[in-house]
Each structure stands twice: as structure tokens, then as C-alpha cells.
Amino acid sequence: QAEMSFCHKHSLSGKTLNMIADVKQQLQDMLQDIGFFKHSGPKDPYYNAYSTNTHLLKAVLCAGLMPNIARAEAPSPQSSQVRLYCSTGTGLQVYVHPSSLNHGLTRLPEGSQWFAYFERVRTHRVYLRDSSSVPAIAILLFGPDFNLQYTQKTVKV
């Protein structure tokens, strides 16, 4: 009963969460069978040495989702929400999907004006789903070519 209540409260599917747990276990078993884990298994602290390093995790996320990156702008006096623009060369303004945790942001996350996203959906607007802020250094390291402009002290991605 508590699981159903939690899933309903957070708009999650219990069946889907169970399926994800099953797939995760199958993947762990396969990796164990081929000898990928030299230590006791995936929960061994050896394999989780950097699990609390959010900067590293966000950089890996950025690398995996490239080129799905959006540039964020702080709210203007006319708008109370952060605005996002796709960095795929179009500069298209996009919106954070209402089901996203980032929906309704009223300020930029500290030290970041970039978001990596998994999916872009078009309804009456173009929405980004499954977005996460990523540090600028991750964009420079894992991102597309960039143009360094020394005189303006800027980097254009």
C-alpha cells in the first residue's frame, strides 16, 4: 500500500519501476558472469568511489547526452522563469516539460547555465524532458567544437 501511495504521489508507475529493477539485476548478473567485477560486485565501495561527486556525475551525464544541450538564461523582468535555448545551431527557445523537476525554475543553478536533456517533445510548444544542469567545463571537455574569442573573453559553443 505504501509503495502504491508513493508512486501515485510522485506520478510513477510501480510496474515500470519493477521492470527497471529487473533489467538492472539482469545487467549486473551478466557483467558478473563475464568477469567484469573484479571485486565482490557492483555495490562494492571500490566501484562507487566517486558516487558522491556530483560534478563528475554531471560531466558523465553531459558526455552521454551530447549533443542534447540547452543554454539557460536567468529570468528577465518580464518573466519569472529561467528560459532555455537549444544549442543545436537553431537557438530555438524551448521550455522545461511540466512533469520535469526543473519546471518552474526561478533562478539558474549555481555555477551553471547549461542543461543536458534526454528528449525534446513538440506539442503546442517544444519541451525538454529529463533535464539536468551541467557544468560549463563538461561542455568544453565533452561538447562539440567551440570558438574561443579572446578579445571578447567568451567561448561560443
Side-chain angles (χ1 to χ4, degrees), residues 96-105 131:
V96 177
H97 195 272
S99 67
S100 172
L101 291 175
N102 289 320
H103 180 72
L105 282 180
S131 62

Side-chain angles (χ1 to χ4, degrees), residues 98-125:
S99 67
S100 172
L101 291 175
N102 289 320
H103 180 72
L105 282 180
T106 56
R107 61 183 176 81
L108 291 176
E110 188 176 326
S112 181
Q113 69 175 48
W114 299 96
F115 283 80
Y117 62 92
F118 179 68
E119 184 178 32
R120 190 168 58 183
V121 178
R122 179 183 289 274
T123 56
H124 65 284
R125 288 179 157 177

Side-chain angles (χ1 to χ4, degrees), residues 71 73 79 81-86 90-95 120 122 125-128:
R71 177 181 48 83
E73 284 186 1
S79 171
Q81 292 187 2
V82 170
R83 291 182 293 175
L84 298 176
Y85 297 90
C86 279
T90 62
L92 171 72
Q93 183 173 3
V94 293
Y95 300 87
R120 190 168 58 183
R122 179 183 289 274
R125 288 179 157 177
V126 178
Y127 288 104
L128 302 184

